[in-house]
Amino acid sequence: MLNKAMFGGVCNVIAGQPFDTIKVRLQTQGTREKKLYAGPFDCFSKMVRKEGMFSLYKGTSGAFASIMTENVVLLTANTGIKAMYRKYCMRGTDRALNFSEHALCGGLAGIFSAVAITPAEVVKVRLQVSRGKCAAKGDVHQYKGPIDCVRKTVRAEGIPGLFRGLNSVLARDLPFNCVFLSSYEVIIHGMLSFRGGGADKAVLASK
């Protein structure tokens, strides 16, 4: 399941990175008087014309690191937290977790995931807004690549600089993982019930 989740994440990055880059550029541009782009199509046109087609894939390395780290940490943490919940809160009771319990475990797993992916998210976003040769001279947000971004960020802001925006990531990922992981479990158990007692969860989840 983990390998398939990671492969799906890679495909998601390849297909969605240009849209994410445009979104980030629009979100981080200045006030109305200093806006660089009139909208998504204008952003796309100017980026391709001034920075080249591959500028739409800036920050892809950070996105890959983020999605793979997220899948590994989230699923591993969720499995471990559910095991601990059964051991210490359910006292070994042999019953399935209900929706709210899955939501609780998923939200707690989201904390580990958010902390793990924030450095990669910071690098991704900073590379996405870095305008390369089009940047103003001396622009502190001009990076040659992910390693250069990490080096300059740590040198200028220290290790905490890699965790900027962690509160926002937590505010996004906690409710998302509460709903995502609990819904996943409910759907899987519903399908198992529909298919009968001979169905296997691992086989069903792999299809």
Side-chain angles (χ1 to χ4, degrees):
M1 178 181 172
L2 185 59
N3 290 337
K4 292 184 178 181
M6 292 177 66
F7 178 74
V10 170
C11 293
N12 178 56
V13 169
I14 293 172
Q17 187 66 12
F19 300 100
D20 187 65
T21 299
I22 291 172
K23 173 184 73 71
V24 169
R25 287 285 181 106
L26 292 173
Q27 288 176 324
T28 57
Q29 66 178 337
T31 60
R32 184 173 298 180
E33 293 77 14
K34 298 179 181 179
K35 278 188 174 180
L36 296 172
Y37 313 109
F41 293 107
D42 182 54
C43 181
F44 172 83
S45 176
K46 286 180 178 177
M47 285 186 67
V48 172
R49 186 171 67 250
K50 296 179 179 181
E51 303 174 53
M53 181 64 73
F54 287 108
S55 66
L56 296 170
Y57 282 91
K58 284 186 175 182
T60 299
S61 55
F64 279 142
S66 177
I67 196 70
M68 288 189 285
T69 300
E70 180 177 26
N71 285 329
V72 171
V73 174
L74 180 64
L75 296 177
T76 302
N78 187 52
T79 300
I81 291 170
K82 287 193 296 184
M84 292 181 66
Y85 183 86
R86 288 191 176 96
K87 181 177 180 179
Y88 295 106
C89 299
M90 296 173 60
R91 304 294 183 183
T93 303
D94 188 22
R95 68 168 178 83
L97 273 65
N98 58 38
F99 183 87
S100 60
E101 290 169 330
H102 279 301
L104 173 63
C105 294
L108 292 174
I111 296 175
F112 292 92
S113 172
V115 173
I117 69 172
T118 295
E121 288 287 311
V122 169
V123 171
K124 176 182 78 71
V125 172
R126 292 195 174 190
L127 289 173
Q128 286 176 314
V129 299
S130 174
R131 295 193 292 151
K133 295 179 180 179
C134 298
K137 188 175 181 180
D139 187 352
V140 295
H141 295 304
Q142 185 173 353
Y143 308 107
K144 298 176 183 178
I147 302 300
D148 183 54
C149 180
V150 172
R151 181 172 57 83
K152 287 182 177 178
T153 298
V154 172
R155 186 171 62 194
E157 306 168 51
I159 295 297
L162 294 173
F163 289 89
R164 280 183 176 269
L166 175 59
N167 290 340
S168 297
V169 178
L170 286 168
R172 178 195 69 185
D173 285 6
L174 262 66
F176 171 79
N177 286 307
C178 280
V179 175
F180 169 64
L181 292 172
S182 56
S183 298
Y184 168 81
E185 292 289 346
V186 168
I187 291 170
I188 288 294
H189 284 292
M191 294 176 70
L192 286 171
S193 299
F194 178 78
R195 294 187 60 173
D200 181 79
K201 180 180 178 180
V203 173
L204 183 63
S206 68
K207 292 185 180 300

